[in-house]
PDB file of all heavy atoms in Angstrom:
ATOM      1  N   PRO A   4       2.326   2.237  12.481  1.00  0.00           N
ATOM      2  CA  PRO A   4       1.993   1.657  11.170  1.00  0.00           C
ATOM      3  C   PRO A   4       0.500   1.363  11.068  1.00  0.00           C
ATOM      4  O   PRO A   4      -0.115   0.909  12.019  1.00  0.00           O
ATOM      5  CB  PRO A   4       2.813   0.378  11.098  1.00  0.00           C
ATOM      6  CG  PRO A   4       3.416   0.173  12.424  1.00  0.00           C
ATOM      7  CD  PRO A   4       3.212   1.394  13.247  1.00  0.00           C
ATOM      8  N   ARG A   5      -0.094   1.649   9.928  1.00  0.00           N
ATOM      9  CA  ARG A   5      -1.527   1.411   9.731  1.00  0.00           C
ATOM     10  C   ARG A   5      -1.827  -0.067   9.492  1.00  0.00           C
ATOM     11  O   ARG A   5      -2.917  -0.522   9.764  1.00  0.00           O
ATOM     12  CB  ARG A   5      -2.043   2.227   8.562  1.00  0.00           C
ATOM     13  CG  ARG A   5      -1.994   3.686   8.821  1.00  0.00           C
ATOM     14  CD  ARG A   5      -2.873   4.438   7.839  1.00  0.00           C
ATOM     15  NE  ARG A   5      -2.882   5.835   8.167  1.00  0.00           N
ATOM     16  CZ  ARG A   5      -3.723   6.397   9.027  1.00  0.00           C
ATOM     17  NH1 ARG A   5      -4.625   5.671   9.619  1.00  0.00           N
ATOM     18  NH2 ARG A   5      -3.669   7.679   9.280  1.00  0.00           N
ATOM     19  N   VAL A   6      -0.870  -0.786   8.969  1.00  0.00           N
ATOM     20  CA  VAL A   6      -1.056  -2.223   8.723  1.00  0.00           C
ATOM     21  C   VAL A   6      -0.247  -2.965   9.780  1.00  0.00           C
ATOM     22  O   VAL A   6       0.972  -3.067   9.694  1.00  0.00           O
ATOM     23  CB  VAL A   6      -0.599  -2.605   7.301  1.00  0.00           C
ATOM     24  CG1 VAL A   6      -0.751  -4.090   7.068  1.00  0.00           C
ATOM     25  CG2 VAL A   6      -1.375  -1.815   6.259  1.00  0.00           C
ATOM     26  N   SER A   7      -0.958  -3.466  10.777  1.00  0.00           N
ATOM     27  CA  SER A   7      -0.280  -4.178  11.861  1.00  0.00           C
ATOM     28  C   SER A   7       0.302  -5.489  11.339  1.00  0.00           C
ATOM     29  O   SER A   7      -0.088  -5.995  10.274  1.00  0.00           O
ATOM     30  CB  SER A   7      -1.267  -4.459  12.994  1.00  0.00           C
ATOM     31  OG  SER A   7      -2.238  -5.402  12.579  1.00  0.00           O
ATOM     32  N   ASP A   8       1.217  -6.049  12.101  1.00  0.00           N
ATOM     33  CA  ASP A   8       1.813  -7.333  11.714  1.00  0.00           C
ATOM     34  C   ASP A   8       0.758  -8.433  11.652  1.00  0.00           C
ATOM     35  O   ASP A   8       0.807  -9.299  10.781  1.00  0.00           O
ATOM     36  CB  ASP A   8       2.927  -7.713  12.692  1.00  0.00           C
ATOM     37  CG  ASP A   8       4.138  -6.801  12.572  1.00  0.00           C
ATOM     38  OD1 ASP A   8       4.309  -6.176  11.502  1.00  0.00           O
ATOM     39  OD2 ASP A   8       4.903  -6.714  13.544  1.00  0.00           O
ATOM     40  N   ASP A   9      -0.223  -8.388  12.554  1.00  0.00           N
ATOM     41  CA  ASP A   9      -1.285  -9.396  12.553  1.00  0.00           C
ATOM     42  C   ASP A   9      -2.154  -9.286  11.298  1.00  0.00           C
ATOM     43  O   ASP A   9      -2.481 -10.291  10.668  1.00  0.00           O
ATOM     44  CB  ASP A   9      -2.163  -9.260  13.799  1.00  0.00           C
ATOM     45  CG  ASP A   9      -1.431  -9.633  15.069  1.00  0.00           C
ATOM     46  OD1 ASP A   9      -0.445 -10.399  14.996  1.00  0.00           O
ATOM     47  OD2 ASP A   9      -1.849  -9.156  16.147  1.00  0.00           O
ATOM     48  N   LEU A  10      -2.520  -8.053  10.941  1.00  0.00           N
ATOM     49  CA  LEU A  10      -3.320  -7.853   9.731  1.00  0.00           C
ATOM     50  C   LEU A  10      -2.531  -8.288   8.504  1.00  0.00           C
ATOM     51  O   LEU A  10      -3.061  -8.979   7.629  1.00  0.00           O
ATOM     52  CB  LEU A  10      -3.738  -6.389   9.605  1.00  0.00           C
ATOM     53  CG  LEU A  10      -4.486  -6.008   8.326  1.00  0.00           C
ATOM     54  CD1 LEU A  10      -5.759  -6.824   8.183  1.00  0.00           C
ATOM     55  CD2 LEU A  10      -4.781  -4.519   8.310  1.00  0.00           C
ATOM     56  N   TRP A  11      -1.264  -7.907   8.433  1.00  0.00           N
ATOM     57  CA  TRP A  11      -0.437  -8.275   7.282  1.00  0.00           C
ATOM     58  C   TRP A  11      -0.292  -9.790   7.184  1.00  0.00           C
ATOM     59  O   TRP A  11      -0.339 -10.350   6.088  1.00  0.00           O
ATOM     60  CB  TRP A  11       0.918  -7.595   7.353  1.00  0.00           C
ATOM     61  CG  TRP A  11       1.750  -7.896   6.134  1.00  0.00           C
ATOM     62  CD1 TRP A  11       2.937  -8.564   6.102  1.00  0.00           C
ATOM     63  CD2 TRP A  11       1.437  -7.586   4.780  1.00  0.00           C
ATOM     64  NE1 TRP A  11       3.378  -8.671   4.807  1.00  0.00           N
ATOM     65  CE2 TRP A  11       2.480  -8.080   3.975  1.00  0.00           C
ATOM     66  CE3 TRP A  11       0.379  -6.932   4.170  1.00  0.00           C
ATOM     67  CZ2 TRP A  11       2.489  -7.943   2.602  1.00  0.00           C
ATOM     68  CZ3 TRP A  11       0.401  -6.799   2.786  1.00  0.00           C
ATOM     69  CH2 TRP A  11       1.435  -7.306   2.023  1.00  0.00           C
ATOM     70  N   ALA A  12      -0.152 -10.476   8.316  1.00  0.00           N
ATOM     71  CA  ALA A  12      -0.031 -11.934   8.310  1.00  0.00           C
ATOM     72  C   ALA A  12      -1.303 -12.589   7.769  1.00  0.00           C
ATOM     73  O   ALA A  12      -1.233 -13.646   7.133  1.00  0.00           O
ATOM     74  CB  ALA A  12       0.272 -12.438   9.715  1.00  0.00           C
ATOM     75  N   ALA A  13      -2.443 -11.956   7.982  1.00  0.00           N
ATOM     76  CA  ALA A  13      -3.699 -12.507   7.473  1.00  0.00           C
ATOM     77  C   ALA A  13      -3.888 -12.198   5.983  1.00  0.00           C
ATOM     78  O   ALA A  13      -4.451 -13.009   5.247  1.00  0.00           O
ATOM     79  CB  ALA A  13      -4.873 -11.940   8.273  1.00  0.00           C
ATOM     80  N   VAL A  14      -3.422 -11.039   5.524  1.00  0.00           N
ATOM     81  CA  VAL A  14      -3.658 -10.607   4.143  1.00  0.00           C
ATOM     82  C   VAL A  14      -2.625 -11.160   3.172  1.00  0.00           C
ATOM     83  O   VAL A  14      -2.964 -11.551   2.047  1.00  0.00           O
ATOM     84  CB  VAL A  14      -3.683  -9.059   4.075  1.00  0.00           C
ATOM     85  CG1 VAL A  14      -3.693  -8.570   2.639  1.00  0.00           C
ATOM     86  CG2 VAL A  14      -4.870  -8.520   4.837  1.00  0.00           C
ATOM     87  N   GLU A  15      -1.374 -11.196   3.571  1.00  0.00           N
ATOM     88  CA  GLU A  15      -0.290 -11.555   2.653  1.00  0.00           C
ATOM     89  C   GLU A  15      -0.499 -12.894   1.924  1.00  0.00           C
ATOM     90  O   GLU A  15      -0.287 -12.971   0.706  1.00  0.00           O
ATOM     91  CB  GLU A  15       1.052 -11.555   3.383  1.00  0.00           C
ATOM     92  CG  GLU A  15       2.219 -11.777   2.452  1.00  0.00           C
ATOM     93  CD  GLU A  15       3.551 -11.733   3.180  1.00  0.00           C
ATOM     94  OE1 GLU A  15       3.608 -12.050   4.373  1.00  0.00           O
ATOM     95  OE2 GLU A  15       4.538 -11.379   2.515  1.00  0.00           O
ATOM     96  N   PRO A  16      -0.954 -13.961   2.599  1.00  0.00           N
ATOM     97  CA  PRO A  16      -1.132 -15.229   1.864  1.00  0.00           C
ATOM     98  C   PRO A  16      -2.236 -15.166   0.799  1.00  0.00           C
ATOM     99  O   PRO A  16      -2.285 -16.006  -0.096  1.00  0.00           O
ATOM    100  CB  PRO A  16      -1.514 -16.234   2.951  1.00  0.00           C
ATOM    101  CG  PRO A  16      -1.193 -15.601   4.243  1.00  0.00           C
ATOM    102  CD  PRO A  16      -1.166 -14.128   4.031  1.00  0.00           C
ATOM    103  N   LEU A  17      -3.102 -14.161   0.856  1.00  0.00           N
ATOM    104  CA  LEU A  17      -4.203 -14.050  -0.102  1.00  0.00           C
ATOM    105  C   LEU A  17      -3.793 -13.331  -1.388  1.00  0.00           C
ATOM    106  O   LEU A  17      -4.525 -13.358  -2.372  1.00  0.00           O
ATOM    107  CB  LEU A  17      -5.370 -13.288   0.543  1.00  0.00           C
ATOM    108  CG  LEU A  17      -5.912 -13.882   1.835  1.00  0.00           C
ATOM    109  CD1 LEU A  17      -6.950 -12.954   2.435  1.00  0.00           C
ATOM    110  CD2 LEU A  17      -6.478 -15.267   1.605  1.00  0.00           C
ATOM    111  N   LEU A  18      -2.632 -12.696  -1.381  1.00  0.00           N
ATOM    112  CA  LEU A  18      -2.183 -11.924  -2.535  1.00  0.00           C
ATOM    113  C   LEU A  18      -1.548 -12.838  -3.591  1.00  0.00           C
ATOM    114  O   LEU A  18      -0.855 -13.788  -3.248  1.00  0.00           O
ATOM    115  CB  LEU A  18      -1.162 -10.872  -2.100  1.00  0.00           C
ATOM    116  CG  LEU A  18      -1.688  -9.830  -1.120  1.00  0.00           C
ATOM    117  CD1 LEU A  18      -0.549  -8.939  -0.650  1.00  0.00           C
ATOM    118  CD2 LEU A  18      -2.797  -9.014  -1.731  1.00  0.00           C
ATOM    119  N   PRO A  19      -1.780 -12.515  -4.860  1.00  0.00           N
ATOM    120  CA  PRO A  19      -1.157 -13.324  -5.917  1.00  0.00           C
ATOM    121  C   PRO A  19       0.347 -13.060  -5.964  1.00  0.00           C
ATOM    122  O   PRO A  19       0.817 -12.010  -5.514  1.00  0.00           O
ATOM    123  CB  PRO A  19      -1.839 -12.834  -7.192  1.00  0.00           C
ATOM    124  CG  PRO A  19      -2.275 -11.450  -6.876  1.00  0.00           C
ATOM    125  CD  PRO A  19      -2.597 -11.435  -5.401  1.00  0.00           C
TER     126      PRO A  19
END
Side-chain angles (χ1 to χ4, degrees):
R5 294 197 176 272
V6 178
S7 68
D8 291 338
D9 292 336
L10 175 59
W11 183 243
V14 171
E15 186 178 28
L17 303 174
L18 298 174

